[in-house]
Amino acid sequence: MNIYSFIWNNINDINSIIVISIVIVFLTLLIANYYDLKYGIIPNKLSFFLFSYGIISNLLIFNVLNDNFFMYCYLAYMSIIFMISFALWKIAFWGGGDLKLFCAIGSSLSFIDILNQFNSFSVLNDFAFNCQALIYPKIFSILINSIILTFPFIVLYMFLRLLRENKLNLLT
């Protein structure tokens, strides 16, 4: 038995691919967070690894489902994710490393909601993901929730910075 057949026999299930994708994205984001906080950059190798993994995992999903519809959806989602990321980079909302990492996350998690709509035995039925619409990829939820979560910290940081620089006069 060669290594390819061993791997394929163990991950020939969509649920396994989904769980592995979630774990790999989580671990990659932990590493990216470490590098971003310590060095102020996100390594290209990290984004390239996650993007490559996303392509490979979705190719496995296409092979399991044997349906071209999912491939077209994947390509459309990746185009939309890149356009949104590029627009946010262009208006200086985030840097180039964030753009690459967001596209890589999108390549890895883009089909979680789509698969859940058609797979009644999905591992995600145990979570609250299964009520989302077919045309709404999980990466958009991650982006919107990240903005909502960080907004109070950004406002507090700006308030403390203005207060420290004496540009905010609270007594008048």
Side-chain angles (χ1 to χ4, degrees), residues 5 19 44 59-61 75 77 95-96 105 116 142-143 153 160:
S5 61
V19 170
N44 289 338
L59 285 174
L60 289 173
I61 290 171
L75 294 174
Y77 286 149
I105 294 168
N116 200 34
I142 292 171
L143 176 64
F153 295 105
L160 292 174

Side-chain angles (χ1 to χ4, degrees), residues 98-147:
D98 298 319
L99 180 148
K100 291 180 281 190
L101 191 61
F102 189 71
C103 289
I105 294 168
S107 75
S108 300
L109 298 179
S110 63
F111 277 162
I112 288 180
D113 292 338
I114 293 174
L115 289 175
N116 200 34
Q117 299 295 324
F118 297 105
N119 188 1
S120 61
F121 301 108
S122 173
V123 70
L124 295 178
N125 284 335
D126 296 337
F127 302 106
F129 300 133
N130 58 350
C131 61
Q132 292 187 355
L134 174 66
I135 60 172
Y136 187 75
K138 179 59 56 197
I139 193 69
F140 294 156
S141 292
I142 292 171
L143 176 64
I144 292 168
N145 289 329
S146 298
I147 292 170

Side-chain angles (χ1 to χ4, degrees), residues 4-128:
Y4 176 76
S5 61
F6 174 76
I7 292 172
W8 180 249
N9 289 336
N10 289 322
I11 62 169
N12 197 7
D13 177 26
I14 293 174
N15 290 330
S16 300
I17 296 170
I18 291 172
V19 170
I20 291 169
S21 294
I22 291 171
V23 170
I24 286 178
V25 167
F26 179 74
L27 293 174
T28 305
L29 288 177
L30 284 178
I31 296 168
N33 188 26
Y34 170 76
Y35 275 100
D36 198 19
L37 290 175
K38 184 162 180 149
Y39 303 110
I41 61 166
I42 299 172
N44 289 338
K45 291 178 183 178
L46 203 58
S47 298
F48 182 73
F49 163 75
L50 192 57
F51 188 75
S52 300
Y53 171 76
I55 299 277
I56 292 169
S57 66
N58 281 301
L59 285 174
L60 289 173
I61 290 171
F62 300 148
N63 195 8
V64 170
L65 295 176
N66 199 16
D67 191 356
N68 288 339
F69 171 72
F70 294 104
M71 182 176 63
Y72 299 134
C73 285
Y74 177 73
L75 294 174
Y77 286 149
M78 286 308 300
S79 301
I80 292 168
I81 289 167
F82 176 75
M83 287 187 286
I84 290 172
S85 299
F86 187 77
L88 291 173
W89 171 73
K90 200 69 172 160
I91 63 172
F93 185 77
W94 60 29
D98 298 319
L99 180 148
K100 291 180 281 190
L101 191 61
F102 189 71
C103 289
I105 294 168
S107 75
S108 300
L109 298 179
S110 63
F111 277 162
I112 288 180
D113 292 338
I114 293 174
L115 289 175
N116 200 34
Q117 299 295 324
F118 297 105
N119 188 1
S120 61
F121 301 108
S122 173
V123 70
L124 295 178
N125 284 335
D126 296 337
F127 302 106

